[in-house]
Amino acid sequence: MNSRRRQQVLTAVTPLLAPGEQVELISLAKVGSVSVKRRVLTSALVGALTAGTVIATVQPRPLYWALTDRRLLFFEPGSVTGRPGKPVMILPRDLIAASPARKALLGLGAQTVLTVQGEEKALKLTFPPAFKAAGRDLAARLTGTA
């Protein structure tokens, strides 16, 4: 992530920090998962409506994230500027654990699964190739912490 975007995420995080809370990592990840069924249906529908002239894919939504010594915060990028907007999810660090990072996206990216204590569903994070080092670092810092 370039320094300008990193500073924008830090600016969005700063008002939410508790006294003494420190930011450790900032990056971007695709959060969630899209079923094969939904991908196929979307592709078929768009293909039928456009007579095959347009191809559509469905992907998990990209979110900026910031790991502090107390929490993991997720921010939605603005639709026009790409700047981080309002926080969409804030998870207490002591309630989350990450699986070890593994290869994703044909081995180019990284992927981890966050489990939140008290929640049934896990949260899948996929890190594109440019952000895989930060993804591995996040997974290492959260492995077995909950």
Side-chain angles (χ1 to χ4, degrees):
M1 175 179 297
N2 67 33
S3 60
R4 182 179 59 113
R5 188 66 73 196
R6 181 182 226 64
Q7 186 58 45
Q8 290 171 347
V9 175
L10 190 57
T11 301
V13 171
T14 302
L16 303 172
L17 296 177
E21 188 173 11
Q22 299 292 317
V23 175
E24 295 178 3
L25 293 172
I26 294 174
S27 193
L28 180 118
K30 292 182 180 182
V31 179
S33 60
V34 179
S35 69
V36 173
K37 180 180 177 182
R38 183 170 174 200
R39 288 179 190 213
V40 170
L41 288 174
T42 302
S43 297
L45 179 63
V46 169
L49 291 174
T50 63
T53 58
V54 175
I55 297 173
T57 61
V58 181
Q59 296 184 359
R61 63 195 259 195
L63 296 176
Y64 295 110
W65 57 266
L67 179 68
T68 72
D69 55 350
R70 300 178 195 171
R71 301 180 285 175
L72 178 60
L73 301 93
F74 291 92
F75 297 86
E76 192 166 42
S79 59
V80 177
T81 63
R83 288 181 168 196
K86 296 180 182 177
V88 293
M89 190 173 9
I90 300 175
L91 303 171
R93 188 167 172 169
D94 59 342
L95 297 181
I96 56 178
S99 66
R102 61 184 177 96
K103 291 182 180 180
L105 302 171
L106 304 172
L108 300 175
Q111 188 175 73
T112 189
V113 176
L114 296 181
T115 53
V116 182
Q117 204 173 52
E119 294 292 324
E120 290 180 23
K121 291 185 83 176
L123 189 62
K124 183 170 137 184
L125 301 180
T126 305
F127 305 94
F131 305 105
K132 72 179 177 182
R136 287 189 183 127
D137 198 7
L138 174 71
R141 289 175 190 235
L142 296 177
T143 300
T145 57

